[in-house]
Amino acid sequence: MSAGDFWAIPELRRIRRMIGNDQRSDNLMVVFERITVILRIISSKSKTVRISDFRSYCEDAYKYILEKYSPPQCQISPTLHKVLAHGWEMMEKLNGGRGLGNLSEGGLENFNKYLRRYRSRLSRKNDQTANLTDTIKRLWIVGEPECNELRMRVCECCQICKEPGHTRGSCLYGLLGHIDSIVDSFFVHD
């Protein structure tokens, strides 16, 4: 992908206007791409990762940031340091070489959001027992395999470009498809 294609994304055009059109914006493109790849690999759930290659990629990204944005200009935050310097370690030691997505609490937080919605909007309010009964029945219906299959068929296309085969999280107007191939190169294919 060329720098021109990258800056066609509307959100990133605003950033470019703020920092200017010089070499700094192209350096920012490289940093954005590398951090995107690293975060997508770390948040993967079931695929086995080539840890040695991933470690090298993380170290190269860390060195690139330090080289291009030296400490007076930019300081690495503790969170970014943990991701770049220790993300591969956590994947290797905590999850047997797989991404950390299955260890996240995002599903539980999402479940609580639906639970609150069902209790407040879609259940009877006249009695606590009736409220909880309606809520549990609603959760059982949502958990049925037939309902999940139907929901997945409805959600198979991208909400941004309306193309099937990917979701809005991996779309970005079709301009960052090469990141998928970079991410895929770190996974072990059986």
Side-chain angles (χ1 to χ4, degrees):
M1 167 188 285
S2 69
D5 292 341
F6 179 81
W7 294 115
I9 301 170
E11 293 82 9
L12 298 174
R13 265 190 257 138
R14 282 186 232 119
I15 295 172
R16 187 171 194 168
R17 271 186 251 126
M18 288 173 24
I19 63 173
N21 292 334
D22 58 358
Q23 185 64 33
R24 290 182 301 166
S25 59
D26 292 335
N27 293 342
L28 184 64
M29 177 186 76
V30 173
V31 170
F32 174 78
E33 178 182 296
R34 290 182 184 187
I35 290 176
T36 301
V37 168
I38 290 168
L39 291 176
R40 285 184 59 188
I41 292 170
I42 288 175
S43 65
S44 66
K45 292 183 181 181
S46 60
K47 295 180 181 177
T48 303
V49 177
R50 291 186 182 93
I51 295 293
S52 60
D53 295 343
F54 183 62
R55 178 183 181 179
S56 301
Y57 191 81
C58 289
E59 289 172 352
D60 290 345
Y62 200 105
K63 290 174 188 172
Y64 184 84
I65 292 170
L66 289 176
E67 175 186 309
K68 298 297 179 184
Y69 304 98
S70 56
Q73 188 178 5
C74 174
Q75 297 231 342
I76 301 280
S77 70
T79 304
L80 186 59
H81 168 78
K82 287 176 189 173
V83 168
L84 295 176
H86 304 290
W88 64 271
E89 272 182 296
M90 293 174 64
M91 289 170 55
E92 184 177 46
K93 292 179 182 173
L94 290 177
N95 211 18
R98 289 183 165 74
L100 302 175
N102 58 351
L103 301 176
S104 73
E105 295 179 358
L108 186 59
E109 292 172 8
N110 197 26
F111 176 77
N112 282 332
K113 177 179 74 174
Y114 286 113
L115 185 64
R116 278 192 312 274
R117 182 181 301 159
Y118 295 156
R119 286 198 70 196
S120 66
R121 298 182 189 165
L122 301 171
S123 63
R124 292 173 280 177
K125 312 292 184 298
N126 59 349
D127 180 23
Q128 182 75 20
T129 305
N131 182 282
L132 291 174
T133 302
D134 292 347
T135 302
I136 289 172
K137 285 181 180 180
R138 176 79 57 173
L139 292 173
W140 276 337
I141 290 170
V142 169
E144 283 293 319
E146 293 86 12
C147 292
N148 276 334
E149 184 179 324
L150 179 63
R151 188 173 63 227
M152 293 307 287
R153 264 191 264 140
V154 171
C155 299
E156 281 181 354
C157 68
C158 176
Q159 294 176 356
I160 297 171
C161 68
K162 307 298 184 212
E163 292 292 323
H166 66 278
T167 61
R168 68 180 185 179
S170 60
C171 180
L172 288 179
Y173 308 105
L175 295 174
L176 296 179
H178 77 288
I179 288 181
D180 289 335
S181 62
I182 296 170
V183 169
D184 195 49
S185 71
F186 286 102
F187 294 124
V188 175
H189 299 285
D190 297 327

